[in-house]
Amino acid sequence: MIIEVHNDNGTIKKHKISKETFRDSNLKNHIGYIKSKSKEKNALNIIEAYYSEAKAILFDETNQIISKKLDELKIGEFKQEKNEKTVFEDKEFSMMFFTSGSTGNSVGALKTKDNLEKELEVITKLLKEKEIKKVIVTVPFIHIYGTLFGLLYPLLNNIDIVLKEHFLPNDLLSLVEENSLIVTTPLYIKALNKINEQKDLNKAVFVSSTAPLLASDAKSFNEKFKCDVIQIFGSTETGGIAYKTNDESLWTPNEHVQIMTNEQNELKVKSPFVSKTLYENGFKEINHTMQTFDYIEKEDEKFRLIGRSSQILKIAGKRYSTIQIENILEEVEQIDKALVFVNEDKDSLRGEFLDITLESSYKFTSKEIKKILQEKLSNLKFSLKLKYVDKIPTSSVGKKLKIN
């Protein structure tokens, strides 16, 4: 297979990938981190670690908290000589990925080769009918979604990869051919919906993850480009949980994934893709089972995703998602971004309030924001706390990050 790197100056660099040239027996069980901003460098390092049976710890290099923690644990950059025994020495894993930290501290999920390869079998089966011949990747490889779909899936199926550090929507569109798989995010789907250029992409397929994609955006994309969007629902700890296509409302659990709920109707997942071990300040064994904070409604063998418990406002017995509230606010012309959480107010009779952060050219009052929301959500009574920032930070895959 070939990794084709497109540079901003129009030049193209190609790397021929084979197990023979990327396997280094001296790296077996070697522990090191991979954190470069360069997709090209990350891809080559991850492939070498994978083929050499090393233990790679992947993270976003802008996350100084993780970087400092790994320094304290005496873990160096991948392929550098290790000097001291680390706490990860006796742990079985192939790669460790960190959660984004969008709802709290980042947690490391240890993934064995068995975790990864069992999920890759399911991904391969899901995409089999598409007869993929080229994978175009807009996302970084330091997160599990990018590694699975953008790197290991093509690697294990001998499919060429196309990379560019920063794809503009028109750049991306020009590279899509028949039987292309585009590994991307809702941000790109929305951006492509807005450009004037049209192209018949009926023999290509887009896969989207990392954040919710509105059904209206998925439908508009499908109608404009005649192209399917497969949405993936999952997490760093669980791996892929379920998928749906275009503007479908129900999620279909992946093969081998058992879907359960607790008394609050929060999703519990058991599957061979779920990590056995998590790491924060110490190790926690979860034995391939993960209790999430996602509310779901089961419908036969499928389910409807309502939202996370920290993103659900309960009023008069009905649940409202903060994602829905963010989308309503971002439709207002002066509001560029909205970040909404549900917090507890022990002094209030209602017990909960909306914590709203806005990136906006106009300073709305709390009363004005309530009126905007009540027009869409009916005349509901709720408390809110409002603040403004110059910029709502986002992760490398476009997730809005909580501001402390």
Side-chain angles (χ1 to χ4, degrees), residues 114-204:
D114 190 57
N115 288 144
L116 299 170
E117 290 177 357
K118 277 195 166 64
E119 185 161 0
L120 288 164
E121 287 175 9
V122 171
I123 292 170
T124 300
K125 192 172 179 180
L126 178 66
L127 297 170
K128 186 177 181 180
E129 290 183 1
K130 303 296 182 181
E131 298 180 347
I132 304 301
K133 295 176 183 175
K134 179 167 76 172
V135 176
I136 303 170
V137 189
T138 74
V139 297
F141 297 117
I142 52 173
H143 301 291
I144 190 167
Y145 166 58
T147 292
L148 283 170
F149 279 87
L151 194 59
L152 295 184
Y153 162 72
L155 183 71
L156 271 62
N157 288 280
N158 196 28
I159 300 169
D160 292 345
I161 300 172
V162 177
L163 301 180
K164 194 171 189 289
E165 289 303 327
H166 306 289
F167 275 110
L168 294 174
N170 294 89
D171 296 335
L172 184 59
L173 208 56
S174 67
L175 288 168
V176 180
E177 299 171 350
E178 291 186 1
N179 304 102
S180 292
L181 171 70
I182 301 84
V183 182
T184 192
T185 66
L187 287 176
Y188 274 96
I189 301 296
K190 292 177 184 178
L192 287 166
N193 278 342
K194 291 178 181 178
I195 65 174
N196 293 325
E197 188 176 348
Q198 286 187 294
K199 186 175 181 179
D200 188 342
L201 305 178
N202 74 89
K203 291 187 178 178

Side-chain angles (χ1 to χ4, degrees), residues 37-170:
K37 285 183 180 178
S38 163
K39 289 179 189 171
E40 177 184 9
K41 184 178 177 182
N42 282 340
L44 298 176
N45 278 336
I46 293 169
I47 289 170
E48 186 169 11
Y50 182 77
Y51 278 147
S52 302
E53 298 183 42
K55 297 178 178 181
I57 297 174
L58 284 67
F59 72 100
D60 183 348
E61 73 173 357
T62 63
N63 192 320
Q64 296 301 314
I65 295 173
I66 295 175
S67 185
K68 183 181 177 183
K69 186 68 178 175
L70 293 177
D71 284 343
E72 291 171 357
L73 296 171
K74 310 299 182 186
I75 294 171
E77 192 169 357
F78 177 63
K79 289 201 287 188
Q80 286 184 352
E81 186 178 352
K82 59 180 181 179
N83 298 315
E84 299 182 39
K85 188 172 181 178
T86 79
V87 293
F88 293 99
E89 202 84 20
D90 299 324
K91 293 295 177 181
E92 181 194 358
F93 71 101
S94 175
M95 298 180 195
M96 185 168 86
F97 301 89
F98 281 91
T99 60
S100 65
S102 56
T103 56
N105 294 329
S106 291
V107 175
L110 282 68
K111 300 290 180 180
T112 64
K113 266 201 170 180
D114 190 57
N115 288 144
L116 299 170
E117 290 177 357
K118 277 195 166 64
E119 185 161 0
L120 288 164
E121 287 175 9
V122 171
I123 292 170
T124 300
K125 192 172 179 180
L126 178 66
L127 297 170
K128 186 177 181 180
E129 290 183 1
K130 303 296 182 181
E131 298 180 347
I132 304 301
K133 295 176 183 175
K134 179 167 76 172
V135 176
I136 303 170
V137 189
T138 74
V139 297
F141 297 117
I142 52 173
H143 301 291
I144 190 167
Y145 166 58
T147 292
L148 283 170
F149 279 87
L151 194 59
L152 295 184
Y153 162 72
L155 183 71
L156 271 62
N157 288 280
N158 196 28
I159 300 169
D160 292 345
I161 300 172
V162 177
L163 301 180
K164 194 171 189 289
E165 289 303 327
H166 306 289
F167 275 110
L168 294 174
N170 294 89

Side-chain angles (χ1 to χ4, degrees), residues 148-304:
L148 283 170
F149 279 87
L151 194 59
L152 295 184
Y153 162 72
L155 183 71
L156 271 62
N157 288 280
N158 196 28
I159 300 169
D160 292 345
I161 300 172
V162 177
L163 301 180
K164 194 171 189 289
E165 289 303 327
H166 306 289
F167 275 110
L168 294 174
N170 294 89
D171 296 335
L172 184 59
L173 208 56
S174 67
L175 288 168
V176 180
E177 299 171 350
E178 291 186 1
N179 304 102
S180 292
L181 171 70
I182 301 84
V183 182
T184 192
T185 66
L187 287 176
Y188 274 96
I189 301 296
K190 292 177 184 178
L192 287 166
N193 278 342
K194 291 178 181 178
I195 65 174
N196 293 325
E197 188 176 348
Q198 286 187 294
K199 186 175 181 179
D200 188 342
L201 305 178
N202 74 89
K203 291 187 178 178
V205 61
F206 279 62
V207 61
S208 174
S209 192
T210 74
L213 175 63
L214 291 179
S216 57
D217 289 329
K219 185 178 181 182
S220 296
F221 184 86
N222 177 249
E223 290 173 349
K224 180 176 181 179
F225 296 106
K226 310 293 186 281
C227 180
D228 287 335
V229 181
I230 300 174
Q231 298 180 58
I232 305 298
F233 170 54
S235 70
T236 307
E237 304 97 312
T238 62
I241 295 171
Y243 66 93
K244 63 179 180 177
T245 304
N246 300 327
D247 59 338
E248 290 178 347
S249 60
L250 297 179
W251 293 89
T252 301
N254 284 329
E255 189 176 0
H256 308 310
V257 175
Q258 295 180 46
I259 299 296
M260 300 161 278
T261 55
N262 62 13
E263 291 179 357
Q264 288 76 42
N265 264 5
E266 291 172 324
L267 173 67
K268 187 175 184 179
V269 179
K270 183 176 179 63
S271 91
F273 319 148
V274 178
S275 296
K276 180 183 176 185
T277 308
L278 303 180
Y279 178 80
E280 191 171 355
N281 295 316
F283 293 101
K284 179 183 178 182
E285 302 299 320
I286 61 171
N287 197 27
H288 309 295
T289 303
M290 182 79 187
Q291 175 64 63
T292 77
F293 298 100
D294 297 293
Y295 285 112
I296 67 166
E297 294 175 352
K298 295 180 78 172
E299 296 191 23
D300 297 324
E301 299 302 314
K302 300 185 179 186
F303 65 90
R304 191 183 308 276

